[in-house]
Amino acid sequence: MDFLSTPDAEGFFGSYGGSFLPAPIQKEIDKITEMYLKLREDASFWTEINSIRKHYQGRPTPLYYCNRLSKAYQAHIYLKREDLNHTGAHKLNHCMAEALLAKKMGKNKLIAETGAGQHGVALATAAAYFGLSCEIHMGEVDIQKEKPNVDRMIVLGAKVIPATHGLKTLKEAVDNAFEAYLKDPEKSIYCIGSVVGPHPFPMMVRDFQAIVGQEVHDQYLQMLGKLPDHIVACVGGGSNAIGMFSAFLDERVELHGVEPAGKGIHLDGQHAATLTKGKRGMIHGFKCYNLEDEKGEPLAVHSIASGLDYPGVGPEHCMLKDSGRVDYVSVTDEECIQAFYELSQLEGIIPALESAHALAYAKTLGTLDAGANILVNLSGRGDKDLEYVLKNFPAHEYYLEEQESNPI
Ligand SMILES: *Cc1c(COP(=O)(O)O)cnc(C)c1O
């Protein structure tokens, strides 16, 4: 496996990233870094991961050409089908590897926070596979909202622990998960769910997600004999996007990261477009762009896609924004819902609301660069979102008119 040259030894991507933690936690995190750097050079570690990916996760995931959606969007739309991973999203790519690392370190418990429950479900799955115990911290408010995922975690054998202080959502769940980890750092590990948090997580999760870009680089060349003009991926913390982009950073392909504009990027608290609207700052022990108020407190964020509403973002994306290598844009809730119904009704594929943000931007690209070849990372499937969508954006308002057959 080829590794990118970033980050530096302290975990910096340019001026972003690093690790800013109290000394006792830092000592434990350093052990994780040390172990990972060793395993990274160990071929048998990757052989085991690749075997899990093939026989358990269902990799390689397909590359698919959208016949009907391409006509509607006036461009050739290709999907990398990460929704076909076991458990329905790209998250298992890093959860299985984090769990294997934990096992190699002699740990017996995985701890994490979860917002909508997607990371919790993926980690509970990995824990069941490796025979580790699993403790997921989740805000009481989110537990009420995300019952199907809470049920999945419980059936998988994980302990779901409610966070009952403050706003009872994601931030409080992070507080509690950290506390639980500090009580037993010898035998447990805190598994971060994206390319965020202190070093080594942004590097490690990127390496584990790089399989997405590596696979599709070859698949695309095989299918078309050349690379796409554009690649589009949604950005929450940034793991599916960086996994996709990492194989194309040195190629002549335009890369687009799509953030949630929610109800509009001009309305504070109503979006989560961190790279588009944020300032340089610090959150959860690392440096990145942040959505924060004058006092430096994290701002409230909103997106209909709960996997995207985080007020920070991966440090590597911050570096790629400043260098101009990746174009970061945003898509509103309404544009996302349109794309959600369009892919469902034109291709028979129901996307996660997160992934529908990337599709919505592919539609915009079709108007800017008609006839272009556009590859979209379809990070997950939308089953988890059906109840919410049908209640708030009823299907009868979105039935598509008979499509004109546009030659493209
Ligand atoms: C969690 C999630 C995301 C957002 O996370 P990234 O780290 O930005 O990839 C995107 N899509 C799906 C389907 C998710 O579950």
Side-chain angles (χ1 to χ4, degrees), residues 91-112:
K91 284 197 170 69
L92 212 58
N93 295 335
H94 64 254
C95 283
M96 295 303 287
E98 283 180 324
L100 180 59
L101 169 94
K103 185 124 188 161
K104 301 254 179 212
M105 292 182 81
K107 302 193 183 262
N108 58 22
K109 190 199 268 182
L110 308 179
I111 298 177

Side-chain angles (χ1 to χ4, degrees), residues 141 224 261 288 314 379:
V141 169
L224 281 110
C288 66
S379 55

Side-chain angles (χ1 to χ4, degrees), residues 178-257:
F178 251 113
E179 231 168 77
Y181 169 56
L182 281 183
K183 276 192 197 136
D184 186 14
E186 281 285 304
K187 284 285 162 198
S188 64
I189 186 168
Y190 188 170
C191 293
I192 293 185
S194 185
V195 285
V196 296
H199 181 60
F201 286 94
M203 166 181 74
M204 201 162 77
V205 174
R206 184 235 9 235
D207 292 351
F208 296 152
Q209 287 294 344
I211 185 66
V212 177
Q214 288 159 6
E215 268 177 23
V216 80
H217 187 283
D218 292 352
Q219 289 170 317
Y220 206 95
L221 277 177
Q222 220 161 50
M223 193 185 274
L224 281 110
K226 59 178 181 179
L227 293 177
D229 302 306
H230 302 272
I231 296 181
V232 188
C234 65
V235 178
S239 67
N240 87 87
I242 209 72
M244 172 59 98
F245 295 165
S246 57
F248 297 91
L249 288 170
D250 297 329
E251 304 279 10
R252 289 173 58 94
V253 177
E254 289 187 38
L255 306 174
H256 310 269

